[in-house]
Amino acid sequence: MPGRALAATVQTLLLLVVVIGLVMLPIVLALPDPRGAVAMFLFGPLADLRHLGNIIEIATPLMFTGLAVALMFRAGMFNLGAEGSFFLGAVFATFAALRLPLPDWAMAPGAVLFGACAGALVCLIPGVLRARFGASELVSSLMLNYAALFLGLYVVNYVLRDSDAGAMLSYRLPAAARLARILPGTRVHEGVLAALGACVLGAVYLFGTRAGYEARVVGANPGFARHLGIRITVVAATVQALGGFIAAAGGAVELQGMYLRFSWQGLPGQGWNGLVVAILAGNNPLLVPPAALALAWLQVGGDLLARNYEVPAEVVGLVQALVILVATATALRRAFRPQRLWAFRSTGRERRDVA
Amino acid sequence: MWHELLLHLGGGAFLAAVLRVTTPILLAALGALISDRAGVINIGIEGIMLAGAFAGVVGSAATGSAWLGLAGAILAGCALGAALSFAVHTLKADLVLSGIDLNLACASGTVLLLYALTGDKGMSGSLASKVLPTIDLPLLDRVPVLGAAFGHQHVLTWASLLAVPLVSVLLLRTRFGLRLRAVGENAEAAAIAGVRVARTQFAALVLSGAFGGVAGAFLSMGYVSWFTGGISAGRGFIAIAAEVMGGGMAAGAFLSALVLGAAEALATDLQGIGLPSELMQTVPYIVPVIALVLHAARRRGG
């Protein structure tokens, strides 16, 4: 039913415009130059190549974590470990680049792979604990995010720390570990291609393989899945391992693409942003890239506002929170259908929906 | 070194530290408990703690009274509990996602408001906020161990201890508690029996928000005397773990919170004797996972 999917997308977009308008209006009106601020927020990110590049740079990690969350949510797993996976993925990619004897040609992919495997544990452990013991994956993944943070800081401080640097920084990454820039004049790197590829593969997995079908059935109706003889525990563990792997690969790619050394002192929040992306994308891997780009556009706009006006970039966080609320509020969607604009033609369909 | 450590762990100073660390976890766990028994577990309690910590600092700085600051924190918590109920009952959004969403909104919202009020995004140092008092029990001072443990505790620490039996009585011995548990047990059956499900869950979420607000006020008006972004540092999530471990009972939540608080206090002390502080800081987050697994395994086995 592509028509209905399109209608749902249009509806979400309209709601987003309304919500962003509601949050930004009072803030912007308080500024000396409201019209200029709005123009900068909306069109500044699109104005030149550098800012377009910023959008793509910011969207790259969002695609990874968004895809990770979308896959896990699709299987009905409320696993929020993407945050910790992303962080540990970056830490262990740094570890691999600095400490493992990898040849130059294998350095960059090897470090991503190593980071992805190590970081996957943050999502896998709650998955296994859920499958094996029935412990809530929601609560244990929330806890493990913080455990991953401090474990990662320990590794950075005791194993990777550059004692010549004043702050807690790792040694510089070797040049071979860094991902190549692909768009002159910007910092866009190979990672975005990997992200897009991962989203396509995620769609193939979810809609084109038996394992993906089983994951969707488990997510949609666990009772029916049991009836079909699907081994729910295996599906749950697999999909969470996969989600953790993707999120952690995102952390590794972000680090190797955008940084000279590991410098994060806290959780970067990309797991939470990934949650917003997944919700915007309706947990559909193919819609993850546009959702990530939309969110990145917002963030670049917010950064521009923060730099040029007295508006903290945290405004974007508030907008994101409202976006989640609007995108998940089923009552709001029912009351605000674009079909209503031509209501006399669609009353029949409307009735059927209610029934 | 180990000998001294063991002596220290048996001493009153360590017990006092455990109680202090347990206080915010316990208060938030009781809040989570009330919402969970009504069938609407409040994942947003982490964000509500942030808002409470912020409202306490701003309220006490504006009014010059620590107690009015506390009232502000409670009010903020109640309002956010009501907002969560609005999202879940009126907008029909998903409960867990709305809770997470509340956390995200509070994380950026408090920093934004702090900036709007002080021009500083980092901390509230420029606000002349007040601190809630500790209660000194001079007679107890003469008793070894107990004197050091209970002699100079924060008023909210005492309040949290007192709240354990109160919440227990509220849930198990009152009409409201009976309705609340009925709704949480089986909402449809409760509705047929004439209980207004949405209204009961609204009340549970507002009450749960009040506890979250007090827990936050303790952080910024007791633990320390200022507000910084992210001051709750996952304690709301630890509290939810404590509530789940406690098996839905107030006394269970108390014991779990005490265990988790002891883990945190112990981790702080072990840093002091030279163990890597980063590894010790993972302890308060790993212990709840282990306890959750033990709890779930026991429930499944028995």
Side-chain angles (χ1 to χ4, degrees):
Chain A
M1 278 172 284
R4 189 165 300 178
L6 186 70
T9 311
V10 170
Q11 175 191 17
T12 308
L13 287 177
L14 282 176
L15 278 171
L16 288 185
V17 172
V18 172
V19 165
I20 295 170
L22 281 180
V23 179
M24 297 307 291
L25 202 65
I27 294 171
V28 164
L29 282 181
L31 296 175
D33 171 23
R35 201 173 289 178
V38 170
M40 175 166 288
F41 179 65
L42 289 182
F43 306 119
L46 310 175
D48 55 61
L49 183 67
R50 193 164 63 89
H51 288 113
L52 279 172
N54 284 340
I55 294 183
I56 299 174
E57 290 153 20
I58 291 177
T60 303
L62 293 179
M63 288 182 206
F64 281 104
T65 51
L67 175 65
V69 175
L71 289 180
M72 293 190 286
F73 275 22
R74 202 66 188 238
M77 297 297 143
F78 264 126
N79 186 324
L80 299 171
E83 182 73 43
S85 282
F86 186 89
F87 184 82
L88 266 198
V91 171
F92 280 96
T94 313
F95 177 86
L98 293 176
R99 290 282 179 269
L100 294 187
L102 293 168
D104 270 3
W105 59 268
M107 181 72 99
V112 171
L113 203 65
F114 188 81
C117 289
L121 288 175
V122 184
C123 287
L124 177 61
I125 291 172
V128 170
L129 296 182
R130 161 72 185 265
R132 181 84 181 72
F133 303 104
S136 155
E137 77 280 9
L138 176 71
V139 179
S140 48
S141 64
L142 285 171
M143 294 290 110
L144 287 181
N145 280 340
Y146 290 95
L149 166 67
F150 292 115
L151 179 68
L153 290 180
Y154 171 76
V155 172
V156 173
N157 198 6
Y158 282 81
V159 185
L160 308 173
R161 181 167 180 172
D162 183 351
S163 46
D164 293 336
M168 195 166 101
L169 305 169
S170 78
Y171 288 103
R172 269 172 177 274
L173 292 177
R178 308 208 57 227
L179 301 177
R181 300 269 159 89
I182 56 172
L183 198 62
T186 70
R187 293 184 298 166
V188 175
H189 52 85
E190 293 166 326
V192 69
L193 304 178
L196 292 170
C199 289
V200 172
L201 284 179
V204 169
Y205 161 77
L206 208 53
F207 301 116
T209 68
R210 187 192 166 88
Y213 170 74
E214 289 184 350
R216 281 186 294 139
V217 175
V218 169
N221 191 339
F224 182 58
R226 207 169 294 126
H227 196 71
L228 286 181
I230 295 174
R231 287 193 296 170
I232 296 182
T233 54
V234 175
V235 171
T238 312
V239 81
Q240 286 170 98
L242 201 59
F245 183 86
I246 294 167
V253 164
E254 174 73 356
L255 187 91
Q256 293 170 242
M258 301 290 287
Y259 292 84
L260 294 172
R261 40 172 112 213
F262 188 94
S263 57
W264 301 340
Q265 312 293 331
L267 293 171
Q270 297 289 20
W272 301 115
N273 290 336
L275 178 77
V276 184
V277 169
I279 289 171
L280 268 183
N283 297 331
N284 180 344
L286 289 180
L287 292 179
V288 162
L293 286 168
L295 209 61
W297 180 19
L298 264 184
Q299 286 197 357
V300 175
D303 284 345
L304 279 172
L305 270 192
R307 228 171 297 141
N308 294 287
Y309 296 87
E310 298 262 294
V311 180
E314 274 79 9
V315 168
V316 174
L318 208 55
V319 172
Q320 282 188 16
L322 275 169
V323 165
I324 299 189
L325 181 63
V326 167
T328 58
T330 48
L332 213 55
R333 302 175 82 90
R334 212 163 288 149
F336 192 82
R337 292 201 162 159
Q339 288 101 311
R340 293 233 166 144
L341 297 176
W342 53 94
F344 64 97
R345 266 203 286 167
S346 63
T347 39
R349 187 187 293 170
E350 206 87 67
R351 289 248 170 77
R352 231 185 304 144
D353 273 358
V354 173
Chain B
M1 179 178 81
W2 291 103
H3 181 67
E4 276 170 23
L5 184 71
L6 281 178
L7 271 182
H8 169 67
L9 294 186
F14 180 70
L15 276 175
V18 169
L19 284 175
R20 195 169 61 240
V21 175
T22 300
T23 301
I25 299 174
L26 175 56
L27 285 166
L30 291 173
L33 171 67
I34 294 168
S35 63
D36 195 18
R37 288 305 289 262
V40 279
I41 188 160
N42 186 352
I43 304 282
I45 199 119
E46 167 82 9
I48 292 179
M49 283 175 80
L50 267 182
F54 177 76
V57 161
V58 172
S60 70
T63 60
S65 152
W67 295 104
L68 287 177
L70 178 64
I74 294 175
L75 216 61
C78 290
L80 289 175
L84 190 55
S85 166
F86 176 75
V88 172
H89 294 114
T90 309
L91 298 180
K92 310 276 182 217
D94 181 84
L95 174 71
V96 172
L97 287 180
S98 306
I100 295 167
D101 201 21
L102 185 57
N103 294 334
L104 296 177
C106 289
S108 4
T110 48
V111 174
L112 267 182
L113 286 175
L114 184 66
Y115 178 78
L117 289 175
T118 66
D120 187 347
K121 291 206 309 192
M123 64 178 279
S124 68
S126 62
L127 292 174
S129 63
K130 301 276 186 271
V131 174
L132 288 164
T134 55
I135 296 180
D136 296 322
L137 302 170
L139 281 178
L140 202 63
D141 262 347
R142 313 233 176 108
V143 185
V145 183
L146 286 184
F150 293 99
H152 307 279
Q153 282 294 357
H154 194 264
V155 57
L156 291 183
T157 301
W158 286 108
S160 72
L161 294 176
L162 206 62
V164 176
L166 287 182
V167 168
S168 194
V169 167
L170 174 78
L171 289 177
L172 301 178
R173 294 271 181 272
T174 65
R175 282 180 71 88
F176 173 71
L178 180 67
R179 287 202 192 119
L180 189 145
R181 284 181 292 129
V183 166
E185 207 70 51
N186 187 336
E188 281 172 31
I192 292 169
V195 181
R196 291 191 211 175
V197 173
R199 185 183 283 194
T200 309
Q201 291 183 331
F202 169 81
L205 282 174
V206 169
L207 199 55
S208 146
F211 273 92
V214 177
F218 176 78
L219 292 179
S220 65
M221 304 170 72
Y223 217 70
V224 295
S225 57
W226 59 82
F227 173 87
T228 60
I231 193 173
S232 49
R235 286 192 184 85
F237 297 138
I238 293 185
I240 290 169
E243 190 271 327
V244 175
M245 280 157 62
M249 305 301 286
F254 169 62
L255 288 178
S256 314
L258 208 57
V259 168
L260 300 183
E264 194 178 332
L266 183 62
T268 313
D269 283 342
L270 290 179
Q271 284 174 42
I273 64 165
L275 292 179
S277 70
E278 290 91 350
L279 286 188
M280 289 302 111
Q281 278 175 289
T282 62
V283 171
Y285 302 101
I286 290 177
V287 170
V289 176
I290 296 170
L292 266 183
V293 168
L294 292 178
H295 175 70
R298 200 185 55 207
R299 203 177 35 193
R300 187 173 272 193

